[in-house]
Amino acid sequence: MAEQAVTPSTTMMIPVPRIIGAVLGVVVTVLVSIGIYTWGTAPSFSSLYNGLEPTDAAQVIAALQSAGIAYELNAASGSVMVESGRVHEARLNLASQGLPKGTAMGLEMLHEEQNFGTSQFVESARYHHAMETELARTISTMRNVKSARVHLAIPKKSVFVRKREKPSASVVLNLYGGRVIEPGQVNAIVHLTASSISSLSPEHVTVVDQSGRLLSSGDLSSSVAMTTKQYDYVRLVERDYEQRIEHLLEPIMGVGKVRATVNANIDFTQLESTEELFNNPKQTVRSEQSSESKRFTKSGGGVPGALSNQPPQGGQLVEGTGDAGVVPASSKPQNTSRNSVRNYEVDRTIRHSRQGTGKVQRLTVAVLVDDKVAVEEGETTRTPLTKDEIARITSLVQQTIGFSQDRGDLVNVINASFTPLEAVEDLPEPSIMENRWVQLALKWLGPFILILILILTILKPSIKGLSSYTPPVPVLASPANEDAAGNENAQGGVAAGEGAAQLEHQASAIPLPSDHDEKVDFARSMVQQDPKKVANVVKDWIGNEPA
C-alpha cells in the first residue's frame, strides 16, 4: 500500500505553552539585565557627615540638591552619604555656607536680631552661653574627643574688693568608644579654658568624662599633683638611661639581645639659705661728731623782794654777749658733759642661695645580655660571654650613665640565654581580587558578563525553540488505497472496529506521541494540513459504529 507524504503548511500554529515560555524568558532576561546593569554602574557612596540632627540634615540636603550632588540619607543614624569622588567637593561647598551649624549656637547668636525689650540680664546670659558653646566647639576638635560641654560660673563683679568672687568652669568630655584621653590633653583643656575667661585660674577648672571620672587634678599646687609630676619625671629619667644603654649595646650584641633596667633615686628637696658676713680687719672712720656742755649756778641769794632783784655789785659785762654774757663774780661751773660719736665703714656680704631640685642621688643599673649566636650549616650555636667581654660591657655602661663611686652608683651586667622567639609567619600576599584595578574591572565588566550569560542560557534557547519548532507531519493513505480498503471492508464484512485499524495503519507510517498534549497538537496539525481527509476518517468512524 503506497503512502503519500503531506507537505507542512507555512501557517502552522505554534503551541501556546511554547509561546508563553519564550515571552517569559525574554521578559526575565530584560528585567534581570536592567537590574544587573543598574547595580553594576551605580556610584559608590561615602559618608559625608554622621549623627546630624534633623535640622542640620535638612539644611545639608538642600545645599547638596542645589549643588547637583547625588546623596543618600540614613534616617536611622542621621548619616549623609555622597559619591566617593565628590566628598571633598561637598564638604568645601557646605563649609562655604557655614553648614552644618549644629544645634548649639555660639557667637553667631549675637548677630541675630534682638528684641526691643531685651534686658541686660538676658544679654549677659546669651553672652555666657555663646562663650560656653565656642569653648565646647574648640575642645571637640581635639583628638579622641567626640563632643564636649562647658559650664561657666562667672560671678557678678563687685566694687568691693573683699566681696569679689573668683570664676570657675566645668568641662564634660564625651570620648569616642574604646579611646582614652592623655594627661597632657587634659592639662591643655584646663589651661585653654582658664585662658579664655578673665580672672579664671587653672585650679578652678574641673574636667570629667562621660563616665563621671575626674580627669583634672584640681589644685595643681597640691602635694598629690606634685608627687605625680615627680613620679613622671623619675620614669622619664630612667627611660632615658635605658634607651642610652640599649642603643649603645645593640650594634654589638644584636637587636633584641640587650635588656636594661635603671632605678634612679632623685632628690626633690628644695633648700634656700641667706648669709650676711662682716669681714673688715681694718676699721676706717667714716664720720665723727663730738659735743660739750657746761652748767653754772649762783653762789648765794637774798631775801625775796626788791633788794634781791638788784644786780650784784661788781658785775662785769662781756662785750658782744648781751645780757646772757653777764656772769656773776661768785658763779662757778657745776655740771660738765662731753659726747662723741664715731661712724666706721663696715664690710658686709649677703648671700642668698637656692639648691635646684631633681638632683640624681644614686643610680642602680641592671643589664641582661644574651649569648652570642652563630649559625653554621643551618645549625644554631650559642656561646656564653667571657669575663673580659662582660667587664668591657660593664665599663661601657658605667661611662654611659656617668658612673660615680662617691654617689654610690651600682652597675650589674649578667649574661643569660634568652628564650628564642617564635618565628613570625609572613603575611599572606594579597589576592588578585583585592587589587583596585581588578575590582574596577569587575565592577564595569561584571554586569555585561552576567547579561551575556542570561542571553545565552535563557533568551537564546527560548527564541531558538520558537524559530525551529516543526510540528509532526502525518502520512495519510491515497484515495485509491482508501477505496480499496473500503471495498475490502464491505465484502469481507469487517466489524465496526476496522476504522480503528485504518488509523493504526495510518499511524504505522508516523510514530504517535505518548503525551496527551502532544497528541492534541498532532491532531490539530493533521486537521490544518488536510481537513478533508480527516473529515472522511471521522465519517468512516461514525458510519462503522454498530447500530
Side-chain angles (χ1 to χ4, degrees):
M1 182 177 357
E3 296 179 353
Q4 181 180 0
V6 181
T7 304
S9 173
T10 57
T11 60
M12 60 183 176
M13 180 183 295
I14 300 176
V16 176
R18 288 181 177 268
I19 297 176
I20 295 175
V23 172
L24 291 177
V26 173
V27 172
V28 170
T29 303
V30 173
L31 293 179
V32 174
S33 300
I34 293 175
I36 293 175
Y37 180 79
T38 303
W39 166 78
T41 58
S44 59
F45 287 84
S46 299
S47 176
L48 180 64
Y49 292 111
N50 296 323
L52 292 178
E53 296 294 334
T55 304
D56 289 339
Q59 295 176 354
V60 169
I61 290 175
L64 293 177
Q65 289 178 349
S66 61
I69 301 176
Y71 67 90
E72 289 184 357
L73 176 63
N74 189 345
S77 61
S79 302
V80 179
M81 305 178 69
V82 297
E83 298 179 10
S84 300
R86 307 188 68 180
V87 173
H88 298 290
E89 177 186 356
R91 288 181 178 175
L92 292 175
N93 191 353
L94 295 175
S96 63
Q97 303 179 28
L99 297 175
K101 295 181 179 179
T103 56
M105 299 182 64
L107 294 178
E108 60 269 15
M109 181 189 302
L110 304 178
H111 298 289
E112 294 185 352
E113 184 177 357
Q114 304 293 333
N115 296 329
F116 181 74
T118 303
S119 63
Q120 184 179 2
F121 174 78
V122 175
E123 293 180 354
S124 178
R126 285 182 177 178
Y127 176 74
H128 289 171
H129 179 69
M131 292 296 296
E132 293 174 350
T133 305
E134 292 296 331
L135 283 173
R137 288 178 179 178
T138 305
I139 296 173
S140 299
T141 58
M142 294 185 177
R143 182 169 49 89
N144 299 336
V145 179
K146 183 178 181 181
S147 61
R149 293 196 66 182
V150 179
H151 302 279
L152 299 177
I154 303 177
K156 186 177 181 181
K157 295 183 179 180
S158 175
V159 295
F160 301 100
V161 178
R162 295 181 179 179
K163 294 184 178 181
R164 290 181 181 177
E165 298 180 1
K166 296 182 180 180
S168 60
S170 301
V171 181
V172 181
L173 302 179
N174 184 16
L175 306 179
Y176 286 102
R179 300 185 184 181
V180 295
I181 189 168
E182 301 175 356
Q185 289 179 305
V186 176
N187 293 333
I189 293 173
V190 170
H191 287 82
L192 173 66
T193 306
S195 302
S196 303
I197 306 300
S198 177
S199 303
L200 178 60
S201 60
E203 292 81 4
H204 295 159
V205 179
T206 304
V207 181
V208 297
D209 61 0
Q210 70 269 26
S211 301
R213 295 179 301 174
L214 180 63
L215 302 179
S216 59
S217 58
D219 187 5
L220 299 179
S221 61
S222 63
S223 59
V224 177
M226 292 300 297
T227 304
T228 303
K229 293 182 179 180
Q230 292 173 2
Y231 177 81
D232 294 338
Y233 178 76
V234 172
R235 297 286 80 81
L236 180 63
V237 172
E238 293 175 349
R239 193 178 304 112
D240 180 66
Y241 281 119
E242 293 171 358
Q243 292 177 355
R244 289 184 185 180
I245 296 172
E246 293 178 356
H247 181 71
L248 178 66
L249 298 181
E250 280 184 350
I252 302 174
M253 305 304 301
V255 179
K257 301 293 184 179
V258 179
R259 292 291 183 271
T261 302
V262 178
N263 184 13
N265 186 6
I266 299 179
D267 184 15
F268 293 97
T269 305
Q270 296 182 357
L271 297 177
E272 295 184 6
S273 61
T274 302
E275 294 179 326
E276 186 174 1
L277 305 177
F278 299 92
N279 297 321
N280 189 10
K282 297 181 180 180
Q283 296 182 356
T284 303
V285 178
R286 181 179 182 181
S287 63
E288 182 177 1
Q289 181 180 1
S290 60
S291 61
E292 181 178 358
S293 63
K294 295 181 180 181
R295 183 178 182 183
F296 296 88
T297 59
K298 296 181 179 181
S299 57
V303 178
L307 296 177
S308 299
N309 292 331
Q310 293 179 358
Q313 299 295 328
Q316 297 179 359
L317 180 63
V318 180
E319 184 180 359
T321 58
D323 296 339
V326 179
V327 179
S330 62
S331 298
K332 295 181 181 180
Q334 297 294 328
N335 296 323
T336 302
S337 62
R338 293 183 179 88
N339 294 327
S340 178
V341 178
R342 292 181 181 180
N343 295 324
Y344 295 93
E345 292 289 347
V346 178
D347 186 8
R348 183 178 61 173
T349 303
I350 299 177
R351 294 179 182 177
H352 180 77
S353 61
R354 180 177 180 180
Q355 185 178 359
T357 60
K359 181 179 180 181
V360 179
Q361 289 185 337
R362 188 170 183 267
L363 291 177
T364 304
V365 182
V367 181
L368 186 61
V369 184
D370 191 11
D371 296 335
K372 292 187 294 185
V373 179
V375 179
E376 296 180 359
E377 298 180 358
E379 295 183 357
T380 303
T381 304
R382 289 181 171 271
T383 305
L385 299 179
T386 62
K387 294 183 179 180
D388 295 338
E389 292 174 340
I390 294 177
R392 187 177 60 179
I393 293 175
T394 303
S395 177
L396 289 175
V397 173
Q398 290 178 351
Q399 295 177 5
T400 302
I401 65 173
F403 182 82
S404 176
Q405 188 70 32
D406 299 336
R407 197 170 55 188
D409 295 346
L410 179 62
V411 176
N412 189 11
V413 179
I414 298 177
N415 173 225
S417 179
F418 286 10
T419 302
L421 299 176
E422 297 181 358
V424 180
E425 297 181 358
D426 296 336
L427 295 176
E429 296 183 359
S431 61
I432 191 174
M433 299 301 297
E434 296 180 1
N435 293 333
R436 181 64 178 172
W437 64 271
V438 175
Q439 295 177 359
L440 293 176
L442 291 178
K443 178 180 178 180
W444 293 102
L445 297 179
F448 295 100
I449 295 175
L450 294 177
I451 292 173
L452 182 62
I453 293 174
L454 288 176
I455 293 174
L456 295 177
T457 57
I458 298 178
L459 185 60
K460 184 177 180 180
S462 300
I463 296 176
K464 185 177 181 181
L466 291 177
S467 61
S468 62
Y469 175 75
T470 303
V473 181
V475 180
L476 300 178
S478 62
N481 294 334
E482 292 179 358
D483 294 341
N487 294 331
E488 291 177 358
N489 293 336
Q491 295 176 0
V494 182
E498 290 183 357
Q502 182 179 1
L503 289 176
E504 291 179 359
H505 171 73
Q506 297 173 359
S508 61
I510 300 175
L512 297 177
S514 59
D515 189 16
H516 176 71
D517 295 336
E518 294 181 356
K519 289 180 180 180
V520 174
D521 295 339
F522 179 76
R524 289 177 179 175
S525 63
M526 292 179 64
V527 173
Q528 292 178 357
Q529 293 176 7
D530 199 345
K532 293 181 179 181
K533 292 182 180 181
V534 175
N536 292 331
V537 173
V538 174
K539 289 179 182 180
D540 191 12
W541 285 352
I542 296 173
N544 293 332
E545 288 184 357

